[in-house]
Amino acid sequence: MPKILIVGGGYAGFYTAWKLEKHLRSGEAEVVVVDPLPYMSYLPFLPEVAAGAIEPRHAVVSHRRHLKKTRVINAKVTNIDHASKTATISPEGGESWEYQYDQIVVTAGSVSRTFPIPGIAENAIGMKSIEEAIAVRDTLVRNYERAAALPKDSATRKRLLTTVVVGGGFAGIETIAELRSAATALLQKIPEISFEETQFHLIEAAPRIMPEVSLDTANWVIKEMGRLGAHIHLETQCADATDGIVKTSDGAEYPSDLIIWTAGVMANPKVVNGSDLPREGRGRISTQADLRVIDENGTVIDGAWAAGDVAAVPDLTGGGVGGMCVPNAQHAVRQAKRLAKNLVAVIRGEQTVDYIHKNMGAVAGLGLYKGAFQSNNLAIKGFFAWIAHRGYHGLAMPTWERKWRVIWGWVHNFFLGRDQVQLAASAEPKAFFQEFASRPKPKTED
Ligand SMILES: Cc1cc2nc3c(=O)[nH]c(=O)nc-3n(C[C@H](O)[C@H](O)[C@H](O)COP(=O)(O)OP(=O)(O)OC[C@H]3O[C@@H](n4cnc5c(N)ncnc54)[C@H](O)[C@@H]3O)c2cc1C
């Protein structure tokens, strides 16, 4: 039986395995997914998780529950030697071992792309994983609770009430908008803090935000954000973040305990560089339009496939950037569905079909009851765009079990309000026990 190894169980990896389960006949191939995480994360929900509008667990899809015919291995793939069709699998706390495959599907996604700005690595946090979104939610709430107990003129209080986001793409704008909305709701429970004290700054190097929408829509978002109390600084760079003091190219300084970096992504360098598969100039694995990996001459590498953010897949609609599909979930999901069909076709000696998908547009949630939607020249702003955002993502969440949890969560929040209890102490779960635990008396010398 041929062995299919899927590296990464995120959007593209999860959908590839899910669809292979559907398309493969019984006994036709063995499918293995390797991912250190036991779930696929629905990343478009991260800003709402950070805002307390979605329960973190509801925004992930369990591999073991929903991939019933796939073997799931919770470990990292640390090396791919495709010449010998061998992958090195490294479980946490255990010895690495080798896995021999016939077909490999690389779907290891992307990571935050940063620049060597002093202090960013030490003081900022990304918005690329559910764990980061949880930490942002807890930090925001905890900072406000701490600030409330400090005198009005305290510098620490001002710092705790300042949030800085770097990067004005979709992720950055949704993040600052959702956090602003969450903070405004939080102030109703913390009367010691006035609205004017809370500071939200987004720093963007380009002269505009959200390249996926029209300039008119982007400018409307900036205006709305300003009205709600979040300031967007265009043509401004983050020059330094040492000790959590964000210094910008226009000379401003924002001391902050919550600096969120959302200025771009790059293909997972550990997986790409740890493999002998060909890559293009931007560090992605090159594929042809049917999602098979190709070398620099365009020759197909037998038994190798890639999709999602880690792959450079030609955009046959003529859109994309540099002729390649942009890294987003719209492409990752559809590429995975096409890849699964093509892989089965290759196993059966049939023809593959090229991947082609015309961009459906973009929809952003901008806090409760506000959104922006753009598809070609059609732009919807405000409440109906927010309905479109929730409607689209509620239904796009994979599996009915997960859709149900997310949508019911929204219904609960509508009646009960968002849940803004922070559980930051769970980062050190043994601290309480250890504070009071009896310990053996030190042995005395005779
Ligand atoms: C905040 C935010 C909002 C977004 N909103 C939208 C949106 O509204 N619309 C849209 O279309 N797109 C959106 N995106 C982009 C979209 O989520 C990504 O393009 C999509 O997740 C890419 O899918 P992927 O499978 O390539 O990578 P991922 O979904 O990131 O999956 C990669 C997987 O690989 C695993 N992995 C990593 N290293 C290893 C290893 N060594 N071995 C094994 N496994 C490994 C990871 O654990 C992960 O599970 C958003 C992204 C973010 C961060």
Side-chain angles (χ1 to χ4, degrees):
M1 203 166 32
K3 289 182 180 164
I4 302 170
L5 172 66
I6 302 174
V7 182
Y11 258 100
F14 176 82
Y15 270 93
T16 302
W18 209 25
K19 294 300 161 186
L20 280 173
E21 289 192 356
K22 197 172 141 207
H23 301 314
L24 284 168
R25 296 186 197 113
S26 170
E28 200 173 18
E30 180 190 75
V31 183
V32 175
V33 169
V34 183
D35 195 313
L37 300 172
Y39 45 75
M40 168 252 184
S41 305
Y42 194 92
L43 302 185
F45 280 152
L46 297 187
E48 281 188 75
V49 168
I54 295 180
E55 259 309 295
R57 262 198 199 90
H58 298 173
V60 301
V61 185
S62 160
H63 291 149
R64 289 180 193 273
R65 177 163 179 174
H66 292 288
L67 296 176
K68 296 200 172 75
K69 298 187 213 159
T70 302
R71 182 176 164 206
V72 175
I73 299 174
N74 294 122
K76 281 185 182 168
V77 169
T78 45
N79 190 58
I80 300 167
D81 180 26
H82 192 65
S84 64
K85 292 200 171 171
T86 309
T88 307
I89 296 180
S90 305
E92 197 184 337
E95 290 283 305
S96 297
W97 48 281
E98 313 268 273
Y99 181 83
Q100 207 84 37
Y101 59 82
D102 298 285
Q103 305 278 340
I104 192 164
V105 180
V106 185
T107 48
S110 56
V111 299
S112 296
R113 178 174 53 103
T114 50
F115 311 106
I117 299 169
I120 282 294
E122 297 77 17
N123 300 306
I125 184 167
M127 184 55 80
K128 274 286 290 164
S129 68
I130 200 83
E131 295 75 14
E132 288 169 324
I134 296 169
V136 167
R137 182 197 63 183
D138 285 351
T139 306
L140 182 88
V141 178
R142 188 162 170 268
N143 282 357
Y144 279 38
E145 289 166 352
R146 285 173 60 201
L150 296 171
K152 284 257 180 211
D153 57 356
S154 147
T156 308
R157 176 176 169 123
K158 193 170 175 208
R159 180 183 169 119
L160 289 169
L161 295 176
T162 303
T163 302
V164 178
V165 177
V166 186
F170 249 69
I173 293 294
E174 286 193 307
T175 299
I176 195 160
E178 291 291 347
L179 291 181
R180 176 67 267 185
S181 170
T184 304
L186 192 58
L187 292 186
Q188 292 169 8
K189 318 273 181 330
I190 313 183
E192 301 94 316
I193 301 173
S194 69
F195 182 86
E196 290 67 35
E197 283 184 280
T198 59
Q199 295 284 316
F200 284 82
H201 296 281
L202 183 139
I203 297 157
E204 168 56 53
R208 61 161 296 173
I209 57 164
M210 301 167 95
E212 300 87 345
V213 302
S214 72
L215 190 56
D216 179 56
T217 306
N219 287 340
W220 175 83
V221 172
I222 294 177
K223 226 168 98 197
E224 277 304 297
M225 286 297 100
R227 209 175 55 76
L228 295 171
H231 305 285
I232 295 176
H233 307 271
L234 297 178
E235 295 184 84
T236 309
Q237 282 159 23
C238 173
D240 200 305
T242 307
D243 298 329
I245 301 168
V246 177
K247 294 182 182 158
T248 58
S249 51
D250 59 1
E253 283 191 14
Y254 308 106
S256 172
D257 257 23
L258 186 53
I259 305 165
I260 305 160
W261 183 271
T262 60
V265 297
M266 60 181 180
N268 188 322
K270 285 216 164 137
V271 172
V272 175
N273 297 336
S275 86
D276 57 357
L277 293 170
R279 70 212 69 162
E280 41 86 88
R282 293 177 64 174
R284 296 170 295 185
I285 295 173
S286 310
T287 77
Q288 60 181 25
D290 68 358
L291 302 152
R292 280 189 281 185
V293 176
I294 49 170
D295 67 15
E296 52 283 0
N297 305 316
T299 309
V300 169
I301 308 281
D302 176 54
W305 307 76
D309 287 7
V310 81
V313 179
D315 188 339
L316 298 185
T317 64
V321 176
M324 299 295 157
C325 296
V326 293
N328 67 24
Q330 247 185 75
H331 281 303
V333 169
R334 287 169 182 81
Q335 286 169 1
K337 289 180 181 174
R338 172 47 50 209
L339 194 161
K341 283 187 179 158
N342 283 349
L343 210 163
V344 173
V346 164
I347 290 176
R348 293 180 187 160
E350 295 165 3
Q351 289 292 313
T352 60
V353 174
D354 283 348
Y355 170 75
I356 180 158
H357 167 65
K358 195 162 179 333
N359 196 308
M360 299 192 311
V363 63
L366 302 171
L368 268 189
Y369 311 125
K370 206 169 280 295
F373 168 81
Q374 181 94 40
S375 179
N376 298 320
N377 290 332
L378 174 69
I380 306 173
K381 303 160 201 158
F383 179 71
F384 289 106
W386 178 78
I387 293 285
H389 167 76
R390 286 218 159 165
Y392 173 78
H393 285 295
L395 293 177
M397 182 76 186
T399 81
W400 280 104
E401 182 252 338
R402 252 31 210 177
K403 284 190 218 311
W404 184 265
R405 289 185 199 270
V406 169
I407 293 168
W408 270 111
W410 284 333
V411 174
H412 288 155
N413 283 359
F414 180 75
F415 290 107
L416 304 173
R418 52 178 116 201
D419 197 341
Q420 292 189 299
V421 177
Q422 55 91 1
L423 296 175
S426 62
E428 286 180 66
K430 291 184 183 168
F432 184 52
F433 178 78
Q434 285 175 346
E435 188 181 347
F436 301 101
S438 295
R439 293 177 167 82
K441 288 204 171 71
K443 284 203 176 104
T444 48
E445 296 280 323
D446 292 329

